[in-house]
Every structure is written in C-alpha cells, then in structure tokens.
C-alpha cells in the first residue's frame, strides 16, 4: 500500500475501498462485513463498505511496516520451538520498538489546559511522539496503537496477521534464517505519519548445503 508515487498509492486505496464495498453487497451473508451491515441498518452499503475498508486498511498498514522487522528479529536466532505466548510477546515487542505510526495525528486542545506542566492554550496543536515515548520504560500499555477513544480499529487484526506469519514460518520453515546480518539491513523512511520499513529482507528458508 505504500509507494513513492502518489498516483500508485491512490489507486491502491481506491481498489481496497471498492473491495470493502463489494464484501457488503456480495450477498453471502457471512463474515465481518455482513455483521456490520446487520448491526448498522441506518448506513448505506457504501458507508458500511468504507468501515470495512478502514478496518482492513488499519490492520494492513501496521502489517506492511512491521513485517520486515518482525521476521528479521524472529529468524535470528530462529522460530523452532517457539510457543504461542512467545510469538505474541515478540509481536508486541517489535511493534513497541518499531511502531508503524511513529507519531500520532495532530490533535488540538479544545480548552486551555495543562499537559505535563506545560500550559496549552485552546487550539494549541499537540503531536504525540509514540516511538520516543515507547523507547523508554513503558508505564501501562505501549502507545503503538494509540489509547482511549483513538485506539486503532485494526489493532487486533494487525496482531493476528503478524502472529500468523510467524506461525507459518515456524511450522513450515523452522530452519529459516536471515541471509545476512540483521544490523546491515537498509531502512526506508516514507515520511509523514507512516513508519519506517525494511527496503528488503533476504532470507534462506533452508540451511545452506
């Protein structure tokens, strides 16, 4: 879903939104889309389709950015014998260290307030440094997926997708290893609210013979 060419990224967004709408109107009566359609009878099919798009995109956006880091850390030293709990912990740690969205979206103070001893007048812009905060000792839950009413709608889907990748690699390719030192991999920084990702991740699925 990320491309340095805005027209390519825009076209991908359009196709994904069209898929979201199609899942509402395909008549199967099954799955998340059908559940949303039944629970929200006052919305049009297009509006429910947009909600499906938002859910899938929110999960995919996280998976897109985090997948390279996750696989690199998982395969060095390897996944053989890792339990479900260990996989979940690895996913959480990689998302904490490499958040897919390093900053929050801009927020604005609705009234004069005080934040950590700093006075903020009404209308003052606030940008949360998610990566910087989570890099230190975490008090409570990490801010990878936000907090409170702004918690990411795709958080559960993203975690499930990432854990599933690790399960498939563990079960089908237990001897897979990075084809080079993890410290030497190149990062790409798209800028804006989108986090960094690896430019490439060479992997050997089987031991060298």
């Amino acid at each position: 879903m990320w491309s340095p060419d805005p027209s390519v990224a825009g076209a991908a967004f359009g196709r994904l939104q069209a898929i979201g709408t199609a899942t509402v109107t395909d008549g199967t009566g099954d799955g998340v889309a059908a559940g949303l359609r039944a629970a929200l009878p006052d919305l049009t099919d297009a509006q429910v389709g947009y909600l499906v798009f938002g859910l899938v995109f929110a999960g995919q956006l996280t998976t897109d950015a985090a997948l390279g880091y996750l696989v690199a850390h998982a395969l060095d030293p390897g996944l053989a014998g890792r339990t479900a709990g260990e996989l979940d912990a690895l996913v959480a740690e990689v998302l904490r260290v490499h958040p897919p969205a390093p900053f929050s979206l801009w927020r604005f103070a609705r009234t004069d307030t005080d934040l950590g001893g700093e006075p903020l007048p009404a209308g003052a812009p606030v940008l949360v440094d998610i990566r910087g905060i989570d890099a230190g000792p975490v008090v409570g839950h990490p801010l990878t997926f936000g907090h409170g009413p702004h918690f990411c709608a795709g958080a559960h889907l993203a975690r499930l997708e990432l854990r599933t990748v690790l399960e498939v690699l563990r079960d089908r390719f237990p001897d897979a290893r990075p084809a080079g030192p993890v410290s030497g991999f190149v990062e790409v920084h798209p800028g804006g609210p989108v986090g960094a990702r690896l430019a490439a991740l060479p992997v050997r699925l089987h031991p060298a013979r």
Side-chain angles (χ1 to χ4, degrees), residues 127-205:
L127 188 68
V128 180
D129 182 3
I130 294 173
R131 184 170 187 170
I133 292 173
D134 282 351
V138 176
V139 179
H141 295 288
L143 295 178
T144 301
F145 293 108
H147 183 70
H150 297 292
F151 190 77
C152 177
H156 301 297
L157 177 61
R159 292 193 191 103
L160 177 61
E161 289 173 340
L162 292 171
R163 190 185 70 192
T164 299
V165 170
L166 295 185
E167 289 173 342
V168 170
L169 285 173
R170 179 198 62 191
D171 297 342
R172 297 185 60 185
F173 305 102
D175 297 318
R177 295 291 187 276
V182 173
S183 59
F185 292 153
V186 177
E187 289 186 316
V188 176
H189 297 268
V194 181
R197 72 258 345 264
L198 295 183
L201 178 59
V203 170
R204 291 191 180 95
L205 296 179

Side-chain angles (χ1 to χ4, degrees), residues 83-99:
T83 66
E86 289 173 329
L87 297 185
D88 285 336
L90 180 58
V91 168
E93 178 63 9
V94 168
L95 289 174
R96 181 185 73 81
V97 177
H98 303 284

